[in-house]
Every structure is written in structure tokens, then in C-alpha cells.
Amino acid sequence: MESITFAQCVEGAWRDGWRYLCHRPAFAVLLLPYAWLSSFAVNALRPDRTPPFRLLTYVPLGVFTLLENSLFSLLIIHAIRFVLLDNDSANAQPISGPSYWRYLGCTWGLAMLAPVLACLVLALVCLALALYVGVIIALDPTGKAAIVQHPVEVRLLIMIVGGGLVLFAGGISCFVLTRLSLLHTHVAIGGTVRIREVWTDTRGHCWSIWLIQLCVGLPTLAASVLVAASGLGTRHPGLASLNIPNLLGTALATFGALYLGAPCSAWLYRRYGNSLRASPAP
């Protein structure tokens, strides 16, 4: 069992991110043209929202997004293997094998789990509130009169409660996704889907994992804020694909995911993935 501190985890992610940048500098050079092509394709495929609106018009954009994620997943898997395995092993193992498809399955599965889980939590809480209000009105008929007499206060209360419910549902989704975050790394290096072991390894470490990810991504976050602030007054909706801040923002997000996010995932796996590393290899 490796004993890795919080600071060592952050510094190690930065160091390995720089090491991977030196190992694969061509990826960094291609980020800006990739950002331009991605923004251009998204704006070209995004359907017009004027009536009649049809969900079918979003199919081309959805297909492009899936293809883009599938291609970028190859780079993420290679970066994770570069950090956790030695260079020769990372280059020799076939990336586009079973582990790649398991990685895609985990990525898309967790991406669908977040909104489903949030909607389920919202539905349960709203049902409980509706039952509570119904019981109050049934037991105290004057409560209904108070609602009619103070419509502004009631609407304000509904907005506050609704906002709180959205934050609560989002927090639950973030908690679950953080607890399952080691699963991607384990699958990327050839492991099988081990949800029980992942849940055990991350028990009590949710805040620590989230803070490490935040600290590792601070350089990219700060640069993204500066780029977004510089582009507030220069947005042109008709020329979104040619907007320089938009291009830089997409490139920074890609850079952060590849050169900071992947090494960070690898170091979180080293620090917390004790049960996962002890599980038998496929």
C-alpha cells in the first residue's frame, strides 16, 4: 500500500503531465486546429430552434459528439497508461482492445447516470414535499387561504425551494460520480469493472478527491477564466466558430483533460485504489 500525501498527489500529477507533454508534444500542437474544427462542426451541426422543433435534428450533432469522445478517449487512455505503466508497456499494449470498450462503456454509463440520478432525487424530494403540503392543507384548511392571499411570497418560496432542490440533486450526482471516479483509471490500464472495490476505496475520501482534482486543474481553470473574461465583449453569435476566445477555451479544456486530468486520475488511483490494485487481473 503506497502512502501518498495530498501535496505529493498534486505535484506528481503536474510533473507527469509535463513529462507526458514532452513525450507527446504533437498532441499539444494539434489542440488549436482541433478546437477550431470541433467548434466549426458543432456550430454547423447544431439545428435551428425555430418551430417546428424536432429532436431528430439533433442526431447528427449527437453522432459527432460520440465520435469525438471515442477518439479523445484513446488519448486519455494512453496518457493514463503512460503514468501508471512504464513507457514501453504503454506503447506496446493494444489500446483499442477490450479495455478501450470498457472505458467507453464506463464513460457513457456514468454520463447518463448523472442526469438520471439527479432527476430521481428531484422527483423523490418533490413527491415528499407535495405529500407534506397536501397533509398540511388537509389538516389546516386555512393554509390554502394563506397561499391564495400571498401569491408573491409563495412564488418566491417556490423559487428558493426549487433552487435548493436543484443544488441538492446536483450534489448527490457529484458525490456518486466522485466515488466512482477511480473506475475509469482501473479500466484504462486493463482492469475489469469493479464497482464494489471502487466504492470501498473512495469511502471517506470524496472531498479529498474533489480537492485534489481542483488543485491540479487550477492552472487550466485560471487560464479559462481569463480567456472567458477577455471574450465577454467580443462575442459574435454568427461567427462563433471564428471567435478566438472560444477556440482558446476549447483548446484549454482539451489540454487540461489530457495533460492534467489524466495524470491526476492516475495519481488518485495510486493513492486510493488499494482494493482495485489487489483485485486479480483479467
Side-chain angles (χ1 to χ4, degrees), residues 136-254:
I136 292 297
I137 293 177
L139 296 178
D140 184 13
T142 59
K144 184 176 180 180
I147 294 176
V148 175
Q149 293 174 1
H150 305 282
V152 177
E153 289 82 354
V154 170
R155 285 197 295 268
L156 181 61
L157 180 61
I158 291 175
M159 292 176 59
I160 295 175
V161 173
L165 290 178
V166 171
L167 292 177
F168 176 72
I172 294 295
S173 300
C174 183
F175 171 78
V176 173
L177 293 180
T178 303
R179 291 289 303 272
L180 297 176
S181 59
L182 299 184
L183 188 61
H184 293 87
T185 310
H186 183 67
V187 169
I189 60 175
T192 56
V193 178
R194 304 274 183 172
I195 297 180
R196 179 180 299 179
E197 286 81 354
V198 169
W199 199 258
T200 300
D201 286 337
T202 56
R203 182 179 293 118
H205 303 303
C206 184
W207 278 108
S208 177
I209 293 174
W210 188 82
L211 287 175
I212 289 174
Q213 293 173 337
L214 178 63
C215 291
V216 171
L218 275 180
T220 304
L221 179 62
S224 300
V225 170
L226 292 176
V227 169
S230 66
L232 287 178
T234 59
R235 288 187 175 179
H236 303 284
L239 299 174
S241 62
L242 300 177
N243 194 299
I244 298 301
N246 183 46
L247 296 179
L248 292 178
T250 305
L252 282 171
T254 308

Side-chain angles (χ1 to χ4, degrees), residues 99-157:
S99 60
Y100 170 70
W101 297 109
R102 284 195 293 264
Y103 184 89
L104 285 184
C106 292
T107 301
W108 294 341
L110 293 180
M112 291 186 292
L113 175 64
V116 170
L117 185 62
C119 292
L120 180 61
V121 173
L122 280 175
L124 292 177
V125 175
C126 289
L127 178 62
L129 287 177
L131 291 175
Y132 174 76
V133 172
V135 171
I136 292 297
I137 293 177
L139 296 178
D140 184 13
T142 59
K144 184 176 180 180
I147 294 176
V148 175
Q149 293 174 1
H150 305 282
V152 177
E153 289 82 354
V154 170
R155 285 197 295 268
L156 181 61
L157 180 61

Side-chain angles (χ1 to χ4, degrees), residues 50-69:
T50 56
F53 177 76
R54 297 177 181 176
L55 290 176
L56 189 62
T57 57
Y58 271 92
V59 171
L61 180 60
V63 171
F64 171 78
T65 303
L66 290 178
L67 291 176
E68 184 183 32
N69 291 339

Side-chain angles (χ1 to χ4, degrees), residues 81 85-94:
R81 288 185 171 186
L85 309 175
D86 58 271
N87 297 356
D88 294 335
S89 297
N91 292 328
Q93 292 184 9

